[in-house]
Amino acid sequence: MDIGLPLEIMSGETRVGLTPDACESLISAGHAVYLETGAGSCSSYDDNCYQQVGVVIMPDAKALYAKAELVVKVKQPLAQDLQYLQARHILFSYLHLAANLSLAKRLCETGLTAIPFESVRDDRGDLPLLRPMSAIAGRIAVMRGASLLFHNRGGSGVLLGGVDGAQTGMVLVLGAGVAGSHAVATAMDLGAQVHVVDLNEQRLASLKSRYPQISTHLSSMALITQLCRHADLIVGAVLRAGQRAPVVLTEHAIQQMRHGSVIVDIAIDQGGCVEGIQPTSSDALCYLRYGILHSAVPNMPAATPRTSSQSLASAILPYVHLLAADGLNKTVLQQAVAVADGEIKDPLLLASG
């Protein structure tokens, strides 16, 4: 199969879908891999790195899409990509269609087959292609939030870990899944006081066993509002697979927070778990609302493209091999198809409209 890796054009997006090592594996299996020139440069993989393993460099997006059958992207296609997508294409990337039904309809009009990374489940029902980027986003969220607390960034001037004679900053993590657990790990490394809220008692117990110093809570709106009054940083890490994220942090709760505190919403790809939050970007990380700094960058792992591209390529490579070897006949990928033959196939998307 002819596999294409286009240059990512979303604002601030720096990752590439497959590293040279991953491409070499596919080429060794008899497939051809094409890369739009410069697609790997931000991840420190120049065109020559790909050429050395047999990848063919294409001069632009038009030429890349014309050659490719299987298109492996990182983020969802934008208007510039959509003009080149055709019914013969298989699109494999993060799509987050639950928060973007207009894109789902546009893909239906194209007639292609679209398989979101975030819809692929393994034998245990886990989300193996969402996990690596969730882990990175959880860690970045705390580091970014800690830096936004600096006075010169507009924050309250709190150092999360504190020092002798000073109070320790408080981090509230909403959600104890992959992103939330990695946010907890990073907040603990910084020496912060950490509270975690979730509806899943098993997840909370697991985190508590790993980090006995943290405080865990079963989620309720009243409890979250109470904890907000003391939080210096809130990390929103709530996920409903294949669905729009539920709002768990209300405007009323936000208004209880101290001015200069920070909110980082990892769930913004799925619409956000913070009421009224708007997407931000790598160029404009945050905005001020109710005296609170809000940050919600949809492609947060793009801040560390070398690490993120390596981790993503490692996770998706087995599935790219399956697809390239007629993997649409494999149950694990059939069940992940969101759009095909001009129709929405994902029952959760159909239910949402």
Side-chain angles (χ1 to χ4, degrees):
M1 183 174 279
D2 292 328
I3 302 166
L5 304 173
L7 176 70
E8 298 293 329
I9 57 176
M10 176 180 282
S11 175
E13 186 51 67
T14 54
R15 292 168 288 179
V16 64
L18 294 170
T19 61
D21 286 346
C23 292
E24 184 176 23
S25 172
L26 291 161
I27 292 167
S28 296
H31 308 294
V33 182
Y34 301 86
L35 177 87
E36 183 179 349
T37 184
S41 60
C42 289
S43 298
S44 300
Y45 295 118
D46 61 22
D47 289 353
N48 184 57
C49 293
Y50 286 93
Q51 287 177 311
Q52 288 178 354
V53 299
V55 174
V56 179
I57 306 302
M58 306 302 284
D60 53 35
K62 183 178 181 180
L64 185 284
Y65 283 97
K67 192 65 179 176
E69 300 168 77
L70 171 58
V71 177
V72 180
K73 282 179 52 54
V74 179
K75 295 298 289 184
Q76 65 267 33
L78 303 182
Q80 299 97 307
D81 303 301
L82 289 168
Q83 64 179 319
Y84 300 126
L85 285 168
Q86 302 173 31
R88 63 184 182 83
H89 284 129
I90 299 172
L91 175 62
F92 194 38
S93 74
Y94 290 117
L95 292 174
H96 302 292
L97 296 176
N100 193 352
L101 291 177
S102 62
L103 175 59
K105 293 174 182 177
R106 181 68 181 84
L107 294 176
C108 285
E109 292 169 3
T110 302
L112 55 66
T113 298
I115 305 173
F117 290 161
E118 67 273 15
S119 294
V120 175
R121 293 183 180 272
D122 61 21
D123 294 339
R124 297 175 298 178
D126 292 336
L127 303 168
L129 307 190
L130 192 60
R131 175 177 291 273
M133 296 303 100
S134 294
I136 292 172
R139 292 183 177 272
I140 289 175
V142 173
M143 291 187 280
R144 180 165 289 166
S147 70
L148 290 174
L149 282 169
F150 294 170
H151 180 71
N152 66 332
R153 303 294 298 277
S156 61
V158 170
L159 182 65
L160 281 182
V163 291
D164 290 345
Q167 293 179 339
T168 301
M170 174 183 159
V171 177
L172 171 60
V173 180
L174 306 176
V178 176
S181 63
H182 280 266
V184 169
T186 304
M188 291 298 296
D189 287 342
L190 291 176
Q193 175 190 355
V194 180
H195 291 254
V196 189
V197 173
D198 199 286
L199 288 171
N200 189 313
E201 291 186 75
Q202 287 184 318
R203 285 180 177 175
L204 292 173
S206 176
L207 270 179
K208 183 71 172 178
S209 68
R210 287 154 58 192
Y211 307 104
Q213 307 96 315
I214 68 174
S215 298
T216 57
H217 312 268
L218 279 174
S219 182
S220 74
M221 289 296 185
L223 174 68
I224 291 172
T225 300
Q226 179 182 344
L227 291 171
C228 281
R229 297 188 178 102
H230 309 286
D232 297 292
L233 168 62
I234 298 179
V235 175
V238 179
L239 170 70
R240 282 182 183 165
Q243 301 180 57
R244 191 177 180 88
V247 171
V248 296
L249 184 60
T250 65
E251 290 189 354
H252 173 70
I254 294 168
Q255 291 175 46
Q256 312 304 309
M257 297 175 69
R258 292 191 295 265
H259 284 197
S261 299
V262 176
I263 297 169
V264 179
D265 192 347
I266 299 173
I268 193 64
D269 272 327
Q270 293 292 93
C273 64
V274 177
E275 186 175 12
I277 199 162
Q278 300 298 314
T280 59
S281 70
S282 58
D283 295 325
L285 283 178
C286 62
Y287 62 90
L288 196 66
R289 186 167 180 241
Y290 302 127
I292 311 302
L293 291 170
H294 291 59
S295 183
V297 179
N299 51 343
M300 197 176 293
T304 55
R306 179 78 173 188
T307 298
S308 297
S309 295
Q310 290 174 349
S311 181
L312 178 62
S314 177
I316 70 172
L317 180 59
Y319 298 94
V320 177
H321 271 290
L322 282 177
L323 280 170
D326 198 22
L328 284 174
N329 291 324
K330 303 293 184 181
T331 301
V332 67
L333 291 168
Q334 283 180 342
Q335 293 175 343
V337 171
V339 171
D341 303 320
E343 299 178 350
I344 292 176
K345 301 295 186 180
D346 185 336
L348 292 176
L349 285 178
L350 288 171
S352 61

